[in-house]
Amino acid sequence: MKTLSIDVRRAEPNDAREISEVHRAAWAQAYTGLIPHKPLTQMLERRNEGWWRKAARGPATLLVLDVAGTIAGYATVGLNRAKALPQDGEIYEIYLRPEYQGIGLGRRLFGETRRLLKSLGCNGLVVWCLEDSENATRFFRRHGGHDLAEGMEDFDGANLRKIGFVWP
């Protein structure tokens, strides 16, 4: 019998190619039809392997979900950027490859990001997602998030409503 290893760890620069692949697949699945084609394509192209290599060394913490040596997902976390909200921490992004969704791995990655922020002294956290992203809003509600904030995100002239989910 083989044991499958599942680990959430800090990303390393040599993870950049796989993180880029996760980003492309997850964003294409999540945002095709929500974000206009041109800005979505530009975002996918901009976040190439080199971009993620720099991100792994950057000021935000980049975590990866490693399933038996394959990067199945990633999350970026740091301090809350919305000064009007009292929460200290923020999950900037949390995504899984489509084939790894729906089997509890998102819950595991989300739980680890929350524990990390708490260990860094952050009281509460916020996560923003597009209002029309049904999978994301359902995920955050199911995991105890309260949609207490809203805003707008501009995608090359297309203004889309976003929701801020918060946890104490």
Side-chain angles (χ1 to χ4, degrees):
M1 176 187 281
K2 285 188 173 185
T3 302
L4 180 67
S5 66
I6 301 172
D7 188 33
V8 176
R9 60 174 173 77
R10 288 186 186 254
E12 300 169 2
N14 63 346
D15 295 322
R17 182 186 53 77
E18 282 192 89
I19 298 169
S20 177
E21 292 169 3
V22 172
H23 173 261
R24 179 171 287 282
W27 278 49
Q29 180 204 39
Y31 300 123
T32 297
L34 290 179
I35 296 175
H37 177 73
K38 183 179 176 184
L40 177 59
T41 300
Q42 289 170 338
M43 285 188 284
L44 293 176
E45 290 172 359
R46 184 177 69 239
R47 294 224 186 152
N48 58 24
E49 183 177 342
W51 192 95
W52 286 105
R53 185 167 281 106
K54 288 178 189 171
R57 296 184 188 108
T61 300
L62 175 57
L63 300 176
V64 293
L65 174 69
D66 185 323
V67 178
T70 297
I71 304 300
Y74 72 90
T76 55
V77 302
L79 296 176
N80 176 11
R81 298 170 291 184
K83 301 303 177 204
L85 297 175
Q87 290 74 20
D88 293 331
E90 182 175 349
I91 298 174
Y92 306 134
E93 294 184 74
I94 183 166
Y95 292 98
L96 295 179
R97 291 180 191 262
E99 64 269 27
Y100 287 91
Q101 295 175 13
I103 56 174
L105 295 173
R107 177 177 51 246
R108 174 121 182 225
L109 181 57
F110 182 67
E112 290 298 322
T113 61
R114 291 185 70 186
R115 278 188 279 288
L116 174 63
L117 287 169
K118 193 165 200 66
S119 76
L120 296 173
C122 291
N123 292 314
L125 71 100
V126 62
V127 179
W128 293 92
C129 71
L130 294 179
E131 180 179 55
D132 291 336
S133 180
E134 293 176 14
N135 288 341
T137 57
R138 185 172 43 250
F139 178 87
F140 295 128
R141 282 189 180 107
R142 190 175 331 127
H143 291 88
H146 300 281
D147 54 343
L148 295 181
E150 62 180 44
M152 298 299 287
E153 193 76 30
D154 178 37
F155 295 97
D156 199 24
N159 289 307
L160 302 178
R161 186 175 304 283
K162 62 183 181 177
I163 300 172
F165 285 91
V166 299
W167 289 260

